[in-house]
Amino acid sequence: MSLSQSQSGTSTGEAVPVPPAFRKVTTAVVTGSATDAPYRVDVRSGTHLLGSDEPVRRGGADAGPEPFALLLSALGSCTAITLRMYAERKGWPLSDVRVRLGYETDGNSGRISRRVTLGGGLDDGQRARLLDICERTPVTLALRAGVAIETTEDRA
């Protein structure tokens, strides 16, 4: 059944929209202990182990990137990888990509600035298309859409 199809599920016979089926794309497990450095946590994603912490100015030990730095890293990684994949598929001479990101807030709302440097002998049309692709990367789309977060408790 496609997303545009629906099922008849009411007593009046009117169509009830069928929600899309979700599938797990990636996972991460974050653990921390009150006996560790004040806010340091371990992050495991697949076979990869990372750490995160708060900076000293916020009571942490600065033992790893702060959470917003990890968010920016995810966006920057997705941007650089997507651009490289796209250019490779098109046979374009993209030699390297640099993505600089910053998170800014006025206390009420926030914004992310993203500056992209494209290396290689790209023409103006290719550069414009790659910058357009930045707006369609999976992490960009997820952040812009405001991904729903469902929280439940797993009891020990």
Side-chain angles (χ1 to χ4, degrees), residues 1-2 27 37-38 42 48-49 59 63 65 67 69 71 75 86 88 92 94 96 108 117 124 142-143:
M1 182 176 293
S2 74
T27 62
D42 292 321
H48 308 284
L49 185 61
L71 176 69
L75 177 59
Y86 187 85
E88 182 180 280
W92 292 353
L94 176 65
D96 55 277
N108 295 317
T117 304
D124 288 344
L143 288 171

Side-chain angles (χ1 to χ4, degrees), residues 28-149:
V29 176
V30 179
T31 57
S33 168
T35 60
D36 291 338
Y39 301 118
R40 188 190 186 309
V41 295
D42 292 321
V43 181
R44 179 170 293 283
S45 181
T47 60
H48 308 284
L49 185 61
L50 308 159
S52 183
D53 196 1
E54 288 292 335
V56 173
R57 73 180 184 281
R58 286 203 294 266
D62 200 25
E66 61 187 287
F68 270 107
L70 293 174
L71 176 69
L72 295 177
S73 297
L75 177 59
S77 299
C78 185
T79 300
I81 291 167
T82 302
L83 294 181
R84 289 174 56 200
M85 288 174 152
Y86 187 85
E88 182 180 280
R89 193 169 62 246
K90 293 289 189 176
W92 292 353
L94 176 65
S95 61
D96 55 277
V97 177
R98 180 178 177 166
V99 183
R100 293 173 46 120
L101 299 115
Y103 178 76
E104 305 162 342
T105 182
D106 62 6
N108 295 317
S109 61
R111 68 180 179 197
I112 294 173
S113 62
R114 175 172 52 188
R115 297 178 54 101
V116 179
T117 304
L118 304 170
L122 300 163
D123 64 35
D124 288 344
Q126 291 167 331
R127 289 176 181 282
R129 181 64 180 144
L130 288 171
L131 290 176
D132 184 53
I133 294 297
C134 289
E135 303 305 317
R136 291 169 181 72
T137 69
V139 174
T140 298
L141 295 175
L143 288 171
R144 288 216 170 109
V147 175
I149 300 171

